Amino acid sequence: VASSTPPNAAPDVDAVVPPKGAGALLGRVPDNTTTGGNKRGSRAVDWQTERSAAAQVASGTNAVIGGGRSNTSLQNYGTVAGGDGNAANGAGTRSAIGGGGGNTASGSYGSIPGGLNCTVSANYTHAFGSTCTASADYASAGGFTCTADGVGSRVFGQFAVARGLRGADAFAPGRRTANGDAQRRSAVLFRTTADATTTALTADGSTPSTANQLNLPSALAFKVRGQVIGMRSNGDVSAWDVSFIAKRVGTTTSIVGTPTITNLGSDGTATGYTLAIAADDTNDVIQINVTGTAGHTVYWVAELTSLEVG
């Protein structure tokens, strides 16, 4: 061991190892081999001393590798604290990996605190556990082999999937044969109406699509329960409880039986508001359709919880 102590008689002395200009702070001299690795990025900090490829270095501007082995920090301001075979790469910036092994952060501002073979590939995402993936902006996935592929979705447990639904909250304790074939998934839908036109509620309050309504993959059946409320801008309100069964066989999406729609009460001018549930076989979704009154600005919100089997 070689040691260096600051040559100062004071009892407490800071120690500084300052790079020059935009130089990097390193634990190995770059030599373009697996020993020293490639050139580091401007103002990078790279204390990693073991790698299996020369490119496994902090090559991004202000990138950091705190230690471990075979880690890569290609992103500008990206951080890999340690672990084995982790990579902050792709076109994004400022992602962080705390440790673990085989994790990849390729979007911007993504985070993986640890775990094994997790991936955050969109922006502002978070994943942990084993083989979990957050592939849509603002999504989070944790547990084992969970996939958060809907914008703002949260997916946890084992083998749970968001099915691309925006804002979905999914949980599964396991699976039979395919991911999501024994899970619970919830979603909040909303919309604003200003007339008596029948309108489908969506997870982003905009034009209906497969990604913003309760979508059904093939060979699955759903038992859904939920609640819907509509409030006029003057405070008049109407609300319902709903329950129904839906399924998709091949390319055919349908409702089984007759949905139960129970009006819990209405007041004032909201007594004329109506609610219906329909299968959209084109987008393979179940629609929550609401109808207000001409001249009324009505704010609608629905919460649906789907028990999914396949």
Side-chain angles (χ1 to χ4, degrees):
V1 176
S3 175
S4 176
T5 301
N8 188 301
D12 302 298
V13 182
D14 293 338
V16 179
V17 183
K20 186 176 181 180
L25 189 59
L26 316 177
R28 282 281 190 267
V29 176
D31 59 4
N32 296 323
T33 73
T34 57
T35 301
N38 294 342
K39 180 73 173 69
R40 276 50 159 193
S42 298
R43 301 182 180 86
V45 176
D46 188 345
W47 293 120
Q48 179 173 254
T49 59
E50 182 180 358
R51 60 189 55 80
S52 56
Q56 292 169 345
V57 298
S59 57
T61 299
N62 294 100
V64 175
I65 297 179
R69 67 175 184 176
S70 299
N71 297 307
T72 306
S73 188
L74 302 179
Q75 290 189 355
N76 293 340
Y77 314 101
T79 298
V80 178
D84 183 6
N86 298 308
N89 59 15
T93 64
R94 299 172 176 85
S95 290
I97 300 175
N103 300 304
T104 301
S106 57
S108 293
Y109 303 97
S111 65
I112 301 174
L116 176 66
N117 295 332
C118 290
T119 301
V120 291
S121 56
N123 302 320
Y124 315 102
T125 49
H126 179 72
F128 61 93
S130 175
T131 57
C132 288
T133 300
S135 57
D137 290 351
Y138 317 109
S140 297
F144 179 69
T145 316
C146 290
T147 303
D149 54 358
V151 173
S153 60
R154 301 183 305 170
V155 180
F156 300 101
Q158 298 184 82
F159 306 109
V161 292
R163 307 195 195 284
L165 175 59
R166 185 184 187 98
D169 186 352
F171 172 81
R175 68 178 183 182
R176 265 184 301 279
T177 56
N179 293 3
D181 64 7
Q183 73 170 18
R184 183 268 304 152
R185 185 173 54 136
S186 299
V188 173
L189 315 178
F190 67 99
R191 206 84 184 266
T192 299
T193 62
D195 52 32
T197 302
T198 297
T199 303
L201 304 186
T202 64
D204 56 4
S206 65
T207 303
S209 70
T210 301
N212 63 14
Q213 298 176 96
L214 191 62
N215 48 3
L216 284 81
S218 184
L220 265 79
F222 294 176
K223 166 60 176 69
V224 183
R225 59 179 173 80
Q227 51 190 343
V228 184
I229 188 168
M231 185 186 77
R232 189 182 174 189
S233 54
N234 71 350
D236 293 345
V237 65
S238 187
W240 300 260
D241 280 343
V242 300
S243 181
F244 59 91
I245 302 170
K247 68 177 182 179
R248 179 180 169 193
V249 178
T251 59
T252 302
T253 296
S254 62
I255 292 176
V256 179
T258 302
T260 299
I261 302 174
T262 304
N263 182 257
L264 303 177
S266 303
D267 70 353
T269 57
T271 55
Y273 302 166
T274 61
L275 169 68
I277 298 171
D280 175 359
D281 196 38
T282 300
N283 291 311
D284 292 311
V285 300
I286 298 301
Q287 290 188 326
I288 305 300
N289 292 319
V290 298
T291 307
T293 301
H296 291 195
T297 297
V298 184
Y299 311 122
W300 300 91
V301 177
E303 182 272 330
L304 302 175
T305 298
S306 174
L307 190 62
E308 305 177 354
V309 61

